[in-house]
Amino acid sequence: MTTNNMSPIVSRRFSSSSVVRSRGIYPAALHRKHNMKENYPARSYEIVAKRNDGSVFIGQDRAPAIPLFENAFSAFAQGCLVMTEKGEVAVEDLQPGERIVKADGTSAPLIWIGSSSFVLAGSGKRTPLVRVMEDSLGAGRPSSFITFGPTARVLHTPLHMRGDESNQEVFTLMRDLVDGVNIIEVTPPTPVRLYHLCLEQHSAIMVGGLHVETYHPGDNLMTEMPIRHRDQFLGMFPHIISEKDFGGLCYPRVPNKAQTLM
Protein backbone atom coordinates (compact mmCIF):
# COMPACT_ATOMS: atom_id res chain seq x y z
CA MET A 1 0.00 0.00 0.00
CA THR A 2 1.18 3.55 -0.62
CA THR A 3 0.76 6.50 1.63
CA ASN A 4 0.90 9.37 -0.86
CA ASN A 5 -0.94 12.53 0.21
CA MET A 6 -1.23 11.19 3.71
CA SER A 7 -0.13 12.61 7.05
CA PRO A 8 3.39 11.79 8.28
CA ILE A 9 3.94 8.06 8.64
CA VAL A 10 4.97 6.50 11.91
CA SER A 11 6.56 3.13 11.19
CA ARG A 12 7.39 0.79 14.03
CA ARG A 13 7.97 -2.98 14.16
CA PHE A 14 6.46 -3.37 17.57
CA SER A 15 7.24 -7.09 17.72
CA SER A 16 10.99 -6.43 17.85
CA SER A 17 11.06 -5.01 21.37
CA SER A 18 7.62 -4.51 22.84
CA VAL A 19 3.93 -4.37 22.08
CA VAL A 20 1.55 -1.61 23.06
CA ARG A 21 -0.49 -2.39 26.12
CA SER A 22 -3.20 0.23 26.39
CA ARG A 23 -0.57 2.98 26.61
CA GLY A 24 1.76 0.64 28.55
CA ILE A 25 4.46 -1.83 27.56
CA TYR A 26 4.17 -5.59 27.32
CA PRO A 27 7.73 -7.02 27.29
CA ALA A 28 8.52 -9.12 24.23
CA ALA A 29 10.57 -11.58 26.31
CA LEU A 30 7.53 -12.30 28.48
CA HIS A 31 5.37 -12.58 25.37
CA ARG A 32 7.77 -15.16 23.88
CA LYS A 33 7.88 -17.03 27.19
CA HIS A 34 4.12 -17.42 27.22
CA ASN A 35 4.04 -18.50 23.57
CA MET A 36 6.71 -21.15 24.16
CA LYS A 37 5.01 -22.35 27.31
CA GLU A 38 1.67 -22.73 25.52
CA ASN A 39 3.36 -24.02 22.35
CA TYR A 40 1.25 -21.90 20.01
CA PRO A 41 2.32 -21.63 16.36
CA ALA A 42 3.03 -18.02 15.43
CA ARG A 43 1.95 -15.85 12.52
CA SER A 44 3.02 -12.45 11.20
CA TYR A 45 0.26 -9.82 11.23
CA GLU A 46 0.50 -6.49 9.41
CA ILE A 47 -1.35 -3.33 10.40
CA VAL A 48 -1.87 0.03 8.71
CA ALA A 49 -3.92 2.43 10.81
CA LYS A 50 -4.77 6.09 11.22
CA ARG A 51 -3.92 7.38 14.69
CA ASN A 52 -6.03 9.91 16.56
CA ASP A 53 -3.42 12.60 15.78
CA GLY A 54 -3.83 12.01 12.04
CA SER A 55 -0.52 10.19 11.48
CA VAL A 56 -0.47 6.80 9.80
CA PHE A 57 0.86 3.83 11.78
CA ILE A 58 2.50 0.97 9.90
CA GLY A 59 3.40 -2.04 12.00
CA GLN A 60 4.00 -5.75 12.00
CA ASP A 61 3.68 -8.15 14.91
CA ARG A 62 4.31 -11.84 15.36
CA ALA A 63 1.57 -13.31 17.49
CA PRO A 64 -0.09 -16.68 18.15
CA ALA A 65 -1.90 -18.26 15.20
CA ILE A 66 -5.11 -18.70 17.19
CA PRO A 67 -8.67 -17.54 16.43
CA LEU A 68 -8.43 -14.49 18.73
CA PHE A 69 -5.87 -12.95 16.38
CA GLU A 70 -6.65 -14.64 13.08
CA ASN A 71 -10.32 -13.59 13.11
CA ALA A 72 -9.24 -9.94 12.99
CA PHE A 73 -7.28 -10.45 9.75
CA SER A 74 -9.27 -12.86 7.59
CA ALA A 75 -12.54 -11.47 6.19
CA PHE A 76 -11.65 -10.28 2.69
CA ALA A 77 -9.58 -11.90 -0.07
CA GLN A 78 -7.63 -9.82 -2.54
CA GLY A 79 -9.87 -8.37 -5.20
CA CYS A 80 -12.87 -7.70 -2.94
CA LEU A 81 -14.27 -4.40 -4.18
CA VAL A 82 -15.12 -2.03 -1.33
CA MET A 83 -17.34 0.95 -2.15
CA THR A 84 -15.80 4.32 -1.30
CA GLU A 85 -17.05 7.83 -1.95
CA LYS A 86 -14.89 7.78 -5.12
CA GLY A 87 -16.08 4.40 -6.33
CA GLU A 88 -15.10 0.76 -5.81
CA VAL A 89 -11.55 0.06 -4.63
CA ALA A 90 -9.92 -3.35 -4.21
CA VAL A 91 -9.36 -4.07 -0.53
CA GLU A 92 -5.60 -4.40 -1.04
CA ASP A 93 -5.47 -0.83 -2.45
CA LEU A 94 -7.35 0.90 0.37
CA GLN A 95 -5.63 3.49 2.55
CA PRO A 96 -6.54 4.76 6.02
CA GLY A 97 -8.61 7.92 5.76
CA GLU A 98 -10.57 6.90 2.67
CA ARG A 99 -14.29 7.32 3.17
CA ILE A 100 -16.11 3.99 3.00
CA VAL A 101 -19.78 3.79 2.01
CA LYS A 102 -21.94 2.08 4.62
CA ALA A 103 -25.12 0.08 4.14
CA ASP A 104 -27.29 3.08 5.05
CA GLY A 105 -25.72 5.20 2.30
CA THR A 106 -23.62 7.37 4.57
CA SER A 107 -19.83 7.17 4.69
CA ALA A 108 -17.13 7.07 7.36
CA PRO A 109 -13.32 7.14 7.28
CA LEU A 110 -11.36 3.92 7.18
CA ILE A 111 -9.32 3.73 10.38
CA TRP A 112 -7.57 0.35 10.38
CA ILE A 113 -6.47 -2.28 7.86
CA GLY A 114 -5.17 -5.63 9.07
CA SER A 115 -3.73 -8.34 6.83
CA SER A 116 -1.87 -11.61 7.02
CA SER A 117 -0.82 -14.46 4.75
CA PHE A 118 -2.67 -17.75 5.25
CA VAL A 119 -1.94 -21.23 3.93
CA LEU A 120 -5.42 -22.72 3.71
CA ALA A 121 -4.42 -26.13 2.37
CA GLY A 122 -2.14 -28.67 3.98
CA SER A 123 -1.95 -26.95 7.37
CA GLY A 124 -4.05 -29.52 9.21
CA LYS A 125 -6.80 -26.93 9.61
CA ARG A 126 -9.89 -26.62 7.45
CA THR A 127 -10.13 -22.91 6.65
CA PRO A 128 -11.48 -22.52 3.11
CA LEU A 129 -12.35 -19.27 1.42
CA VAL A 130 -15.96 -18.66 0.41
CA ARG A 131 -16.79 -17.75 -3.18
CA VAL A 132 -20.17 -16.14 -3.77
CA MET A 133 -21.53 -16.22 -7.31
CA GLU A 134 -23.30 -13.32 -8.97
CA ASP A 135 -26.88 -12.69 -7.74
CA SER A 136 -26.64 -15.51 -5.16
CA LEU A 137 -28.37 -13.44 -2.46
CA GLY A 138 -30.63 -11.43 -4.75
CA ALA A 139 -30.36 -9.25 -7.85
CA GLY A 140 -26.97 -7.56 -7.81
CA ARG A 141 -26.03 -9.27 -4.54
CA PRO A 142 -23.24 -9.61 -5.35
CA SER A 143 -22.86 -7.78 -8.66
CA SER A 144 -20.20 -10.31 -9.76
CA PHE A 145 -18.56 -13.29 -8.11
CA ILE A 146 -16.55 -12.36 -5.04
CA THR A 147 -14.30 -14.29 -2.68
CA PHE A 148 -14.31 -13.81 1.08
CA GLY A 149 -12.15 -15.03 3.92
CA PRO A 150 -13.49 -17.46 6.53
CA THR A 151 -14.56 -14.76 9.02
CA ALA A 152 -16.62 -12.54 6.67
CA ARG A 153 -20.15 -11.81 7.83
CA VAL A 154 -22.93 -10.50 5.61
CA LEU A 155 -26.05 -8.61 6.67
CA HIS A 156 -28.80 -11.07 5.96
CA THR A 157 -32.25 -12.14 7.09
CA PRO A 158 -32.19 -15.88 7.88
CA LEU A 159 -34.95 -18.01 6.41
CA HIS A 160 -36.52 -18.74 9.80
CA MET A 161 -36.87 -14.98 10.46
CA ARG A 162 -38.41 -14.02 7.13
CA GLY A 163 -42.04 -13.06 7.18
CA ASP A 164 -42.26 -12.58 10.93
CA GLU A 165 -42.92 -9.25 12.58
CA SER A 166 -39.28 -8.36 12.97
CA ASN A 167 -37.89 -9.48 9.59
CA GLN A 168 -34.61 -8.52 11.23
CA GLU A 169 -31.31 -8.42 9.41
CA VAL A 170 -28.41 -9.94 11.30
CA PHE A 171 -24.74 -10.56 10.57
CA THR A 172 -24.32 -14.12 9.34
CA LEU A 173 -21.03 -15.88 8.66
CA MET A 174 -20.69 -16.21 4.91
CA ARG A 175 -19.34 -19.74 5.32
CA ASP A 176 -22.56 -20.72 7.09
CA LEU A 177 -24.44 -19.91 3.85
CA VAL A 178 -22.43 -22.33 1.70
CA ASP A 179 -24.79 -24.41 -0.45
CA GLY A 180 -22.29 -26.03 -2.80
CA VAL A 181 -23.82 -24.36 -5.87
CA ASN A 182 -24.12 -20.58 -5.61
CA ILE A 183 -21.93 -20.19 -2.55
CA ILE A 184 -19.00 -22.56 -2.48
CA GLU A 185 -15.84 -23.26 -0.53
CA VAL A 186 -12.48 -22.70 -2.19
CA THR A 187 -9.14 -23.91 -0.81
CA PRO A 188 -6.18 -22.53 -2.80
CA PRO A 189 -3.02 -24.66 -2.63
CA THR A 190 -0.77 -21.59 -2.30
CA PRO A 191 -0.67 -18.88 0.40
CA VAL A 192 -3.28 -16.13 0.16
CA ARG A 193 -3.33 -12.71 1.78
CA LEU A 194 -6.51 -11.87 3.67
CA TYR A 195 -7.70 -8.56 5.13
CA HIS A 196 -10.05 -6.98 7.61
CA LEU A 197 -11.16 -3.38 8.11
CA CYS A 198 -12.25 -1.06 10.91
CA LEU A 199 -14.16 2.20 10.73
CA GLU A 200 -14.68 4.54 13.68
CA GLN A 201 -17.59 2.34 14.75
CA HIS A 202 -18.75 -1.17 13.92
CA SER A 203 -20.56 -0.97 10.58
CA ALA A 204 -21.99 -2.75 7.58
CA ILE A 205 -20.16 -1.60 4.45
CA MET A 206 -20.80 -2.05 0.74
CA VAL A 207 -18.64 -4.80 -0.79
CA GLY A 208 -19.55 -5.97 -4.27
CA GLY A 209 -23.20 -5.12 -3.70
CA LEU A 210 -23.36 -6.92 -0.34
CA HIS A 211 -23.56 -5.39 3.13
CA VAL A 212 -20.55 -6.85 4.91
CA GLU A 213 -19.42 -6.41 8.50
CA THR A 214 -16.35 -4.45 9.56
CA TYR A 215 -14.20 -5.92 12.32
CA HIS A 216 -15.43 -6.09 15.91
CA PRO A 217 -14.11 -8.58 18.51
CA GLY A 218 -17.58 -9.25 19.91
CA ASP A 219 -19.27 -8.08 23.07
CA ASN A 220 -17.76 -10.63 25.45
CA LEU A 221 -14.57 -11.86 23.82
CA MET A 222 -12.26 -9.31 25.44
CA THR A 223 -13.36 -10.15 28.96
CA GLU A 224 -12.94 -13.89 28.40
CA MET A 225 -9.40 -13.96 27.00
CA PRO A 226 -6.18 -14.23 29.06
CA ILE A 227 -4.66 -10.87 30.00
CA ARG A 228 -1.40 -11.58 28.14
CA HIS A 229 -3.34 -12.13 24.90
CA ARG A 230 -5.62 -9.15 25.46
CA ASP A 231 -2.66 -6.82 25.91
CA GLN A 232 -0.95 -7.93 22.73
CA PHE A 233 -4.22 -7.94 20.80
CA LEU A 234 -5.11 -4.37 21.80
CA GLY A 235 -1.62 -3.29 20.81
CA MET A 236 -2.53 -4.14 17.22
CA PHE A 237 -5.13 -1.34 17.18
CA PRO A 238 -3.26 1.98 17.58
CA HIS A 239 -6.53 3.94 17.66
CA ILE A 240 -7.85 1.84 20.58
CA ILE A 241 -7.00 2.61 24.21
CA SER A 242 -9.26 0.00 25.81
CA GLU A 243 -11.70 -2.64 24.62
CA LYS A 244 -14.57 -0.20 25.27
CA ASP A 245 -13.38 1.88 22.32
CA PHE A 246 -14.64 -0.79 19.91
CA GLY A 247 -18.16 0.26 20.90
CA GLY A 248 -21.21 -1.94 20.46
CA LEU A 249 -22.37 -4.09 17.56
CA CYS A 250 -24.42 -2.17 14.99
CA TYR A 251 -26.47 -5.29 14.20
CA PRO A 252 -26.74 -8.56 16.13
CA ARG A 253 -24.84 -11.62 14.98
CA VAL A 254 -26.26 -15.05 14.26
CA PRO A 255 -24.55 -17.56 16.59
CA ASN A 256 -21.79 -19.28 14.67
CA LYS A 257 -22.15 -22.91 13.64
CA ALA A 258 -18.55 -23.10 14.86
CA GLN A 259 -17.61 -20.53 17.46
CA THR A 260 -14.03 -20.16 16.21
CA LEU A 261 -12.23 -19.66 12.93
CA MET A 262 -10.54 -23.05 13.00
Side-chain angles (χ1 to χ4, degrees):
M1 298 179 186
T2 61
T3 51
N4 296 334
N5 303 318
M6 301 296 290
S7 301
I9 296 175
V10 177
S11 181
R12 178 185 174 205
R13 289 182 62 90
F14 48 90
S15 61
S16 60
S17 59
S18 62
V19 291
V20 179
R21 180 191 178 187
S22 301
R23 303 302 184 188
I25 298 296
Y26 189 64
L30 184 58
H31 154 55
R32 289 193 297 268
K33 178 181 177 182
H34 283 308
N35 283 346
M36 289 187 295
K37 181 179 179 181
E38 295 169 341
N39 198 30
Y40 289 129
R43 181 186 300 284
S44 178
Y45 300 94
E46 297 180 8
I47 300 101
V48 183
K50 188 173 184 179
R51 294 177 184 266
N52 292 332
D53 63 6
S55 64
V56 175
F57 173 95
I58 301 175
Q60 186 179 64
D61 195 8
R62 194 158 182 81
I66 58 176
L68 164 65
F69 293 94
E70 292 183 327
N71 290 356
F73 294 82
S74 55
F76 304 103
Q78 288 188 339
C80 281
L81 296 177
V82 180
M83 183 61 71
T84 74
E85 284 190 340
K86 297 181 179 180
E88 291 184 323
V89 177
V91 64
E92 64 268 26
D93 295 328
L94 289 170
Q95 297 182 29
E98 290 194 70
R99 295 195 67 86
I100 306 299
V101 177
K102 300 193 291 184
D104 62 5
T106 63
S107 66
L110 179 61
I111 301 298
W112 182 92
I113 305 167
S115 67
S116 187
S117 180
F118 291 81
V119 179
L120 303 178
S123 63
K125 301 176 181 178
R126 188 170 181 274
T127 55
L129 304 180
V130 179
R131 180 161 295 168
V132 185
M133 304 305 175
E134 181 178 355
D135 300 333
S136 293
L137 297 175
R141 302 184 63 235
S143 52
S144 62
F145 87 82
I146 189 168
T147 304
F148 292 98
T151 60
R153 286 184 172 90
V154 63
L155 198 57
H156 176 71
T157 303
L159 287 173
H160 71 275
M161 297 176 64
R162 296 177 187 176
D164 64 14
E165 294 181 358
S166 64
N167 201 35
Q168 184 181 25
E169 290 186 304
V170 292
F171 283 124
T172 304
L173 273 173
M174 191 68 73
R175 58 193 170 98
D176 284 349
L177 300 178
V178 168
D179 59 14
V181 179
N182 296 309
I183 304 176
I184 63 174
E185 294 181 345
V186 180
T187 307
T190 56
V192 296
R193 180 155 291 274
L194 301 178
Y195 300 80
H196 219 325
L197 309 173
C198 283
L199 306 186
E200 292 174 327
Q201 297 179 334
H202 184 238
S203 304
I205 61 175
M206 298 290 294
V207 181
L210 299 176
H211 300 162
V212 184
E213 180 188 42
T214 60
Y215 180 69
H216 191 288
D219 288 332
N220 301 315
L221 179 63
M222 301 299 292
T223 60
E224 296 173 354
M225 71 178 67
I227 292 177
R228 59 186 175 277
H229 288 159
R230 183 168 70 244
D231 292 342
Q232 187 178 17
F233 179 77
L234 288 175
M236 292 179 166
F237 297 85
H239 60 293
I240 294 294
I241 297 176
S242 74
E243 56 267 28
K244 294 180 181 179
D245 293 333
F246 282 108
L249 295 172
C250 65
Y251 286 91
R253 288 171 171 170
V254 172
N256 304 355
K257 288 183 180 178
Q259 291 298 316
T260 61
L261 169 61
M262 304 305 177

